[in-house]
Amino acid sequence: MIPLEQGPLADRLASALRADETRMRHLEICRAVLGADAWIGAGFLRNLIWDRDFGDGGVVPVQDDIDVLYFDPTDLSQDSETAFENRLIAAEPGTLWQVRNQARMHLKHGDRPYRDIRDAMSFWLETATAIAVRLHKVNAVQDRIEIISAYGLQDLFAGFLRPTAPDRVDRFLQRVQQKHWQGRWPGIRVLAEEPHE
């Protein structure tokens, strides 16, 4: 079982999500359509915190694609991902869902096979993005937000853009430039010389 993030930062992220009706609806839809093993990660979370803390002070509605993650080594077909995307679009038209089976993504990137979703996220380019959440049903009336992360939540809340490994710095810098993140979030810091160890 993947260890869950706990502590004050996890509580802050969960509170920020609960205060965002749109993101909570997306989490509910994701669970209803794909089941308990589906997670939402990347910009869904980063943008929530950075729009609020490092942008102009307001939270921008979800506009980018929503990255849905699952892990199924028994079915590496892209057709399955597309079928899930179509089901999510039917449930929430007008939302750009992007579903990826992390069990097959190592083939695209030339990495060793990933063990689980958390391991797959450890190969992403930025530490602050390698985070995912899901809505877990505790009982008939109670839900709990569960959080997993490859590198912790510190860089997300500190506003640090840091590469996940020294051999990814060039791709990381290219991505930072292409995305224009410092224009959107002037308060963040790029720490390309300090990759995660």
Side-chain angles (χ1 to χ4, degrees), residues 5-195:
E5 290 290 329
Q6 297 183 15
L9 294 182
D11 293 344
R12 283 175 61 188
L13 181 54
S15 294
L17 284 163
R18 288 206 182 276
D20 188 304
E21 291 180 20
T22 302
R23 282 179 170 84
M24 287 303 294
R25 186 174 70 250
H26 289 143
L27 286 168
E28 291 167 1
I29 290 167
C30 185
R31 179 181 63 188
V33 171
L34 286 115
D37 292 329
W39 300 77
I40 301 180
F44 182 83
L45 303 168
R46 179 200 58 227
N47 297 1
L48 171 66
I49 300 303
W50 286 8
D51 283 340
R52 184 192 68 186
D53 295 350
F54 301 102
D56 62 8
V59 175
V60 177
V62 178
Q63 296 171 339
D64 302 324
D65 60 294
I66 298 177
D67 294 295
V68 177
L69 321 171
Y70 70 100
F71 195 86
D72 182 1
T74 67
D75 180 2
L76 303 183
S77 165
Q78 285 184 270
D79 292 342
S80 297
E81 295 172 349
T82 302
F84 284 139
E85 287 174 357
N86 290 338
R87 289 171 58 193
L88 288 165
I89 291 167
E92 179 84 346
T95 299
L96 181 57
W97 299 92
Q98 185 178 65
V99 180
R100 294 293 179 265
N101 179 2
Q102 297 301 297
R104 77 165 189 86
M105 295 309 290
H106 71 284
L107 299 170
K108 177 179 179 183
H109 300 296
D111 300 324
R112 62 156 174 79
Y114 305 145
R115 295 182 297 271
D116 53 35
I117 288 177
R118 185 172 179 263
D119 185 43
M121 290 192 305
S122 74
F123 285 83
W124 293 4
L125 291 180
E126 314 95 31
T127 56
T129 303
I131 302 165
V133 297
R134 70 178 175 189
L135 200 56
H136 176 73
K137 186 167 282 299
V138 177
N139 54 47
V141 295
Q142 184 181 9
D143 291 323
R144 176 177 66 230
I145 293 173
E146 295 186 335
I147 304 165
I148 56 173
S149 168
Y151 300 101
L153 305 178
Q154 296 83 0
D155 284 358
L156 173 67
F157 282 97
F160 292 164
L161 254 177
R162 186 193 315 263
T164 55
D167 63 346
R168 300 178 193 140
V169 171
D170 289 345
R171 287 184 294 145
F172 163 82
L173 289 172
Q174 184 179 36
R175 181 166 154 84
V176 170
Q177 185 176 29
Q178 289 173 343
K179 295 288 188 178
H180 305 290
W181 283 331
Q182 289 175 292
R184 179 171 178 176
W185 301 299
I188 64 172
R189 290 178 54 200
V190 177
L191 303 175
E193 302 304 316
E194 303 175 36

